[in-house]
Amino acid sequence: MAAAAAVAYVLAAIVVARGGARGLGPMVPAWGLHAAALAWGLLGSQPHFGFAPALSMTAWLVLTSYAVEHQLFPQMRTRWALCALGAVAVLLAALFPGRAMHVAASPWLALHLTLGIACYGLFAVAVVHAWLMGRAEQQMRRAADLSSTLPLLTLERLTFRFVAAGFALLSATLAVGWFFSEELYGRAWLWDHKAVFSVLAWLTFAILLVGRARMGWRGRRAARVLYAGALLLLLAYAGSRFVMEVVLGRGGWGG
């Protein structure tokens, strides 16, 4: 199923790159197969989760968000790079499915993971919009045709809306982890690398939102802070789980 989704994404990327389609039609089969592969990994007889499924779900959420926005803003192009991202993500999850989740896991774990993945998805969408914003700004400086992209102010407004929503979910994720750490992981809250990176990411996004509200941060400065926070957040879970699962060859849910 993952291989079929990857092939469908590659075919969609080729069609889009050659200018054969402006709508989302080529991406729909790949998007559906990707969703089915994710569901099989999470809802199958032996549910698995890890850094690669987390990245795969994040990529799927980015594609879903982009598809919704495409309906609201038809001038947004279908990007072949997003198709390539989906292909890499779904294959990565197939190669590294993660560790089996305990059947008797705390219900707080499901909430914690759901909030965390949704948070990853929102910030990933914000990063994509920040990249589009930077690209539109460059095109504007070169006096290029901007008819196929959103206005710069619209992109900026959407970027910060996703940042604000992601910040709210990140705050909720940290709160659940803090108050229910012993039930989630069998131990009280510890300042390990995952916790440190998560809090640093939270502080970075908080500074970004305050800078935007109080000092009018925008453009490249705001994008740099956003990229820094997104990198810290990526290291917090996906990075640490990659080290545990791939480099060290372990990754139990209590670790």
Side-chain angles (χ1 to χ4, degrees), residues 87-238:
V88 172
V90 74
L91 284 179
L92 194 65
L95 292 173
F96 302 100
R99 295 298 178 114
M101 298 179 67
H102 299 308
V103 177
S106 166
W108 291 110
L109 179 59
L111 176 61
H112 186 64
L113 291 177
T114 301
L115 289 172
I117 294 302
C119 165
Y120 258 53
L122 287 171
F123 281 120
V125 173
V127 167
V128 171
H129 281 72
W131 176 79
L132 292 173
M133 187 169 60
R135 190 169 180 269
E137 186 176 355
Q138 291 177 354
Q139 291 176 333
M140 184 181 297
R141 290 178 179 177
R142 296 196 303 263
D145 181 18
L146 296 176
S147 61
S148 61
T149 187
L150 288 178
L152 191 59
L153 291 178
T154 302
L155 281 171
E156 185 179 47
R157 185 168 60 252
L158 288 171
T159 299
F160 278 94
R161 284 180 180 175
F162 282 114
V163 170
F167 181 76
L169 287 184
L170 178 58
S171 301
T173 304
L174 292 176
V176 171
W178 180 280
F179 288 111
F180 301 101
S181 181
E182 193 162 349
E183 189 173 348
L184 282 169
Y185 307 113
R187 53 177 168 75
W189 177 276
L190 293 178
W191 286 101
D192 56 10
H193 50 277
K194 182 169 63 175
V196 170
F197 279 124
S198 297
V199 172
L200 287 176
W202 186 90
L203 289 172
T204 303
F205 292 127
I207 291 171
L208 174 60
L209 291 172
V210 172
R212 163 76 171 178
R214 298 293 180 86
M215 291 170 279
W217 286 2
R218 60 194 313 169
R220 293 182 180 180
R221 174 184 292 181
R224 290 192 191 104
V225 179
L226 171 58
Y227 294 153
L231 178 60
L232 289 169
L233 190 61
L234 183 67
L235 292 173
Y237 181 79

Side-chain angles (χ1 to χ4, degrees), residues 6-21:
V7 170
Y9 273 128
V10 170
L11 293 176
I14 293 173
V15 171
V16 172
R18 292 181 175 178

